[in-house]
Short mmCIF file of all heavy atoms in Angstrom, two decimals:
data_model
loop_
_atom_site.label_atom_id
_atom_site.label_comp_id
_atom_site.label_asym_id
_atom_site.label_seq_id
_atom_site.Cartn_x
_atom_site.Cartn_y
_atom_site.Cartn_z
N VAL A 32 15.52 -15.72 -20.74
CA VAL A 32 14.58 -14.60 -20.76
C VAL A 32 13.15 -15.10 -21.03
O VAL A 32 12.19 -14.65 -20.39
CB VAL A 32 15.03 -13.52 -21.78
CG1 VAL A 32 13.91 -12.54 -22.09
CG2 VAL A 32 16.26 -12.79 -21.24
N ASP A 33 13.00 -16.05 -21.94
CA ASP A 33 11.68 -16.65 -22.20
C ASP A 33 11.11 -17.25 -20.92
O ASP A 33 9.94 -17.04 -20.58
CB ASP A 33 11.78 -17.78 -23.24
CG ASP A 33 11.79 -17.24 -24.66
OD1 ASP A 33 11.53 -16.03 -24.85
OD2 ASP A 33 12.05 -18.03 -25.59
N ASP A 34 11.92 -18.01 -20.21
CA ASP A 34 11.46 -18.64 -18.95
C ASP A 34 11.12 -17.58 -17.91
O ASP A 34 10.17 -17.74 -17.14
CB ASP A 34 12.54 -19.57 -18.38
CG ASP A 34 12.59 -20.91 -19.12
OD1 ASP A 34 11.81 -21.10 -20.07
OD2 ASP A 34 13.43 -21.75 -18.73
N MET A 35 11.90 -16.50 -17.89
CA MET A 35 11.63 -15.43 -16.92
C MET A 35 10.28 -14.77 -17.21
O MET A 35 9.50 -14.53 -16.28
CB MET A 35 12.76 -14.39 -16.93
CG MET A 35 14.03 -14.91 -16.26
SD MET A 35 15.42 -13.77 -16.42
CE MET A 35 14.84 -12.37 -15.46
N PHE A 36 9.98 -14.49 -18.49
CA PHE A 36 8.67 -13.91 -18.82
C PHE A 36 7.56 -14.89 -18.44
O PHE A 36 6.56 -14.50 -17.83
CB PHE A 36 8.58 -13.55 -20.31
CG PHE A 36 9.13 -12.19 -20.63
CD1 PHE A 36 10.23 -12.05 -21.47
CD2 PHE A 36 8.55 -11.04 -20.09
CE1 PHE A 36 10.75 -10.79 -21.76
CE2 PHE A 36 9.06 -9.78 -20.38
CZ PHE A 36 10.16 -9.66 -21.23
N GLU A 37 7.72 -16.16 -18.79
CA GLU A 37 6.68 -17.14 -18.50
C GLU A 37 6.43 -17.22 -16.99
O GLU A 37 5.28 -17.26 -16.53
CB GLU A 37 7.06 -18.51 -19.07
CG GLU A 37 5.85 -19.41 -19.21
CD GLU A 37 6.17 -20.75 -19.85
OE1 GLU A 37 7.29 -20.93 -20.38
OE2 GLU A 37 5.29 -21.62 -19.79
N THR A 38 7.51 -17.22 -16.22
CA THR A 38 7.41 -17.31 -14.75
C THR A 38 6.76 -16.05 -14.18
O THR A 38 5.88 -16.14 -13.32
CB THR A 38 8.82 -17.51 -14.16
OG1 THR A 38 9.41 -18.68 -14.74
CG2 THR A 38 8.77 -17.66 -12.64
N MET A 39 7.18 -14.88 -14.69
CA MET A 39 6.63 -13.61 -14.20
C MET A 39 5.14 -13.50 -14.50
O MET A 39 4.35 -13.15 -13.62
CB MET A 39 7.38 -12.44 -14.85
CG MET A 39 6.87 -11.08 -14.41
SD MET A 39 7.63 -9.74 -15.33
CE MET A 39 6.66 -9.80 -16.83
N TYR A 40 4.74 -13.82 -15.73
CA TYR A 40 3.31 -13.73 -16.09
C TYR A 40 2.49 -14.71 -15.26
O TYR A 40 1.39 -14.38 -14.80
CB TYR A 40 3.11 -13.99 -17.59
CG TYR A 40 3.58 -12.87 -18.50
CD1 TYR A 40 4.38 -13.15 -19.61
CD2 TYR A 40 3.22 -11.55 -18.25
CE1 TYR A 40 4.81 -12.13 -20.46
CE2 TYR A 40 3.64 -10.52 -19.10
CZ TYR A 40 4.43 -10.82 -20.20
OH TYR A 40 4.84 -9.81 -21.02
N ALA A 41 3.01 -15.92 -15.07
CA ALA A 41 2.26 -16.94 -14.30
C ALA A 41 2.06 -16.49 -12.86
O ALA A 41 1.07 -16.84 -12.22
CB ALA A 41 3.01 -18.27 -14.34
N ALA A 42 3.02 -15.69 -12.34
CA ALA A 42 2.95 -15.24 -10.95
C ALA A 42 2.25 -13.88 -10.84
O ALA A 42 2.16 -13.32 -9.74
CB ALA A 42 4.35 -15.15 -10.37
N ASN A 43 1.76 -13.33 -11.98
CA ASN A 43 1.12 -12.01 -11.99
C ASN A 43 2.03 -10.89 -11.49
O ASN A 43 1.57 -9.96 -10.83
CB ASN A 43 -0.17 -12.02 -11.16
CG ASN A 43 -1.28 -12.73 -11.89
OD1 ASN A 43 -1.48 -12.50 -13.07
ND2 ASN A 43 -1.96 -13.62 -11.21
N GLY A 44 3.32 -11.00 -11.81
CA GLY A 44 4.25 -9.93 -11.43
C GLY A 44 4.44 -8.96 -12.58
O GLY A 44 4.08 -9.24 -13.73
N ILE A 45 5.04 -7.80 -12.25
CA ILE A 45 5.34 -6.81 -13.30
C ILE A 45 6.84 -6.77 -13.60
O ILE A 45 7.26 -6.04 -14.49
CB ILE A 45 4.83 -5.41 -12.92
CG1 ILE A 45 5.45 -4.92 -11.60
CG2 ILE A 45 3.31 -5.40 -12.82
CD1 ILE A 45 5.16 -3.45 -11.31
N GLY A 46 7.63 -7.53 -12.84
CA GLY A 46 9.06 -7.56 -13.09
C GLY A 46 9.66 -8.82 -12.48
O GLY A 46 9.04 -9.44 -11.62
N LEU A 47 10.85 -9.21 -12.97
CA LEU A 47 11.53 -10.37 -12.40
C LEU A 47 13.02 -10.24 -12.71
O LEU A 47 13.40 -9.92 -13.84
CB LEU A 47 10.99 -11.67 -13.00
CG LEU A 47 11.38 -12.96 -12.28
CD1 LEU A 47 10.61 -13.12 -10.96
CD2 LEU A 47 11.17 -14.19 -13.15
N ALA A 48 13.84 -10.51 -11.69
CA ALA A 48 15.29 -10.56 -11.87
C ALA A 48 15.70 -12.04 -11.92
O ALA A 48 15.08 -12.88 -11.26
CB ALA A 48 15.98 -9.86 -10.70
N ALA A 49 16.74 -12.34 -12.70
CA ALA A 49 17.14 -13.74 -12.88
C ALA A 49 17.44 -14.43 -11.56
O ALA A 49 17.14 -15.62 -11.40
CB ALA A 49 18.35 -13.81 -13.83
N ILE A 50 18.00 -13.69 -10.60
CA ILE A 50 18.34 -14.33 -9.31
C ILE A 50 17.09 -14.86 -8.61
O ILE A 50 17.16 -15.80 -7.82
CB ILE A 50 19.12 -13.36 -8.39
CG1 ILE A 50 19.71 -14.09 -7.17
CG2 ILE A 50 18.24 -12.20 -7.92
CD1 ILE A 50 20.67 -15.21 -7.48
N GLN A 51 15.91 -14.30 -8.92
CA GLN A 51 14.68 -14.78 -8.28
C GLN A 51 14.32 -16.20 -8.73
O GLN A 51 13.53 -16.88 -8.08
CB GLN A 51 13.51 -13.83 -8.56
CG GLN A 51 13.68 -12.48 -7.86
CD GLN A 51 12.52 -11.54 -8.14
OE1 GLN A 51 12.53 -10.87 -9.17
NE2 GLN A 51 11.54 -11.50 -7.26
N ILE A 52 14.91 -16.65 -9.86
CA ILE A 52 14.76 -18.06 -10.24
C ILE A 52 16.12 -18.78 -10.11
O ILE A 52 16.34 -19.82 -10.73
CB ILE A 52 14.14 -18.24 -11.65
CG1 ILE A 52 14.95 -17.53 -12.74
CG2 ILE A 52 12.70 -17.75 -11.66
CD1 ILE A 52 14.57 -17.96 -14.16
N GLY A 53 17.02 -18.19 -9.32
CA GLY A 53 18.26 -18.87 -8.96
C GLY A 53 19.41 -18.69 -9.93
O GLY A 53 20.44 -19.34 -9.79
N ILE A 54 19.26 -17.77 -10.91
CA ILE A 54 20.32 -17.55 -11.89
C ILE A 54 21.00 -16.22 -11.59
O ILE A 54 20.40 -15.15 -11.80
CB ILE A 54 19.74 -17.51 -13.35
CG1 ILE A 54 18.85 -18.73 -13.62
CG2 ILE A 54 20.86 -17.38 -14.37
CD1 ILE A 54 19.56 -20.06 -13.68
N PRO A 55 22.26 -16.25 -11.10
CA PRO A 55 22.90 -15.01 -10.64
C PRO A 55 23.53 -14.19 -11.77
O PRO A 55 24.73 -13.90 -11.76
CB PRO A 55 23.95 -15.52 -9.65
CG PRO A 55 24.33 -16.86 -10.17
CD PRO A 55 23.09 -17.43 -10.84
N GLN A 56 22.73 -13.81 -12.76
CA GLN A 56 23.20 -13.00 -13.88
C GLN A 56 22.41 -11.71 -13.95
O GLN A 56 21.23 -11.67 -13.54
CB GLN A 56 23.03 -13.77 -15.19
CG GLN A 56 23.87 -15.02 -15.22
CD GLN A 56 24.05 -15.51 -16.65
OE1 GLN A 56 24.24 -14.73 -17.57
NE2 GLN A 56 23.98 -16.82 -16.82
N ARG A 57 23.02 -10.66 -14.51
CA ARG A 57 22.39 -9.34 -14.51
C ARG A 57 21.37 -9.24 -15.66
O ARG A 57 21.62 -8.61 -16.69
CB ARG A 57 23.45 -8.23 -14.53
CG ARG A 57 24.40 -8.36 -13.32
CD ARG A 57 25.37 -7.22 -13.16
NE ARG A 57 24.81 -6.06 -12.49
CZ ARG A 57 24.67 -5.91 -11.18
NH1 ARG A 57 25.03 -6.86 -10.34
NH2 ARG A 57 24.18 -4.80 -10.69
N VAL A 58 20.23 -9.89 -15.45
CA VAL A 58 19.15 -9.96 -16.44
C VAL A 58 17.83 -9.62 -15.73
O VAL A 58 17.53 -10.21 -14.69
CB VAL A 58 19.05 -11.38 -17.04
CG1 VAL A 58 17.89 -11.47 -18.03
CG2 VAL A 58 20.36 -11.81 -17.69
N LEU A 59 17.07 -8.69 -16.32
CA LEU A 59 15.76 -8.30 -15.79
C LEU A 59 14.72 -8.38 -16.88
O LEU A 59 15.01 -8.06 -18.04
CB LEU A 59 15.74 -6.83 -15.33
CG LEU A 59 16.79 -6.31 -14.37
CD1 LEU A 59 16.55 -4.82 -14.15
CD2 LEU A 59 16.71 -7.09 -13.08
N VAL A 60 13.52 -8.75 -16.52
CA VAL A 60 12.38 -8.57 -17.42
C VAL A 60 11.34 -7.73 -16.68
O VAL A 60 11.20 -7.83 -15.46
CB VAL A 60 11.75 -9.90 -17.89
CG1 VAL A 60 12.75 -10.71 -18.70
CG2 VAL A 60 11.20 -10.71 -16.73
N ILE A 61 10.65 -6.87 -17.44
CA ILE A 61 9.60 -6.01 -16.88
C ILE A 61 8.44 -5.97 -17.86
O ILE A 61 8.66 -5.92 -19.09
CB ILE A 61 10.12 -4.57 -16.63
CG1 ILE A 61 11.18 -4.58 -15.50
CG2 ILE A 61 8.97 -3.61 -16.30
CD1 ILE A 61 11.76 -3.22 -15.17
N ASP A 62 7.21 -6.04 -17.35
CA ASP A 62 6.03 -5.74 -18.16
C ASP A 62 5.02 -5.08 -17.24
O ASP A 62 4.45 -5.75 -16.37
CB ASP A 62 5.46 -7.01 -18.81
CG ASP A 62 4.42 -6.67 -19.87
OD1 ASP A 62 3.82 -5.57 -19.78
OD2 ASP A 62 4.22 -7.48 -20.79
N LEU A 63 4.82 -3.79 -17.43
CA LEU A 63 3.89 -3.06 -16.57
C LEU A 63 2.44 -3.35 -16.95
O LEU A 63 1.53 -2.92 -16.26
CB LEU A 63 4.18 -1.55 -16.63
CG LEU A 63 5.60 -1.13 -16.21
CD1 LEU A 63 5.74 0.39 -16.29
CD2 LEU A 63 5.95 -1.62 -14.81
N GLN A 64 2.23 -4.07 -18.06
CA GLN A 64 0.88 -4.45 -18.53
C GLN A 64 0.80 -5.97 -18.65
O GLN A 64 0.69 -6.49 -19.76
CB GLN A 64 0.58 -3.84 -19.91
CG GLN A 64 0.90 -2.38 -20.06
CD GLN A 64 -0.19 -1.51 -19.47
OE1 GLN A 64 -1.16 -2.01 -18.93
NE2 GLN A 64 -0.02 -0.22 -19.56
N PRO A 65 0.89 -6.70 -17.52
CA PRO A 65 1.08 -8.14 -17.62
C PRO A 65 -0.18 -8.97 -17.84
O PRO A 65 -0.11 -10.19 -17.87
CB PRO A 65 1.70 -8.49 -16.26
CG PRO A 65 1.09 -7.50 -15.34
CD PRO A 65 0.87 -6.24 -16.13
#
Side-chain angles (χ1 to χ4, degrees):
V32 165
D33 278 351
D34 282 1
M35 286 174 65
F36 275 117
E37 199 176 350
T38 304
M39 180 187 80
Y40 288 132
N43 285 315
I45 59 170
L47 193 74
I50 191 59
Q51 292 180 276
I52 57 166
I54 310 292
Q56 297 198 40
R57 303 187 82 81
V58 178
L59 308 178
V60 298
I61 293 180
D62 192 335
L63 301 181
Q64 312 280 1

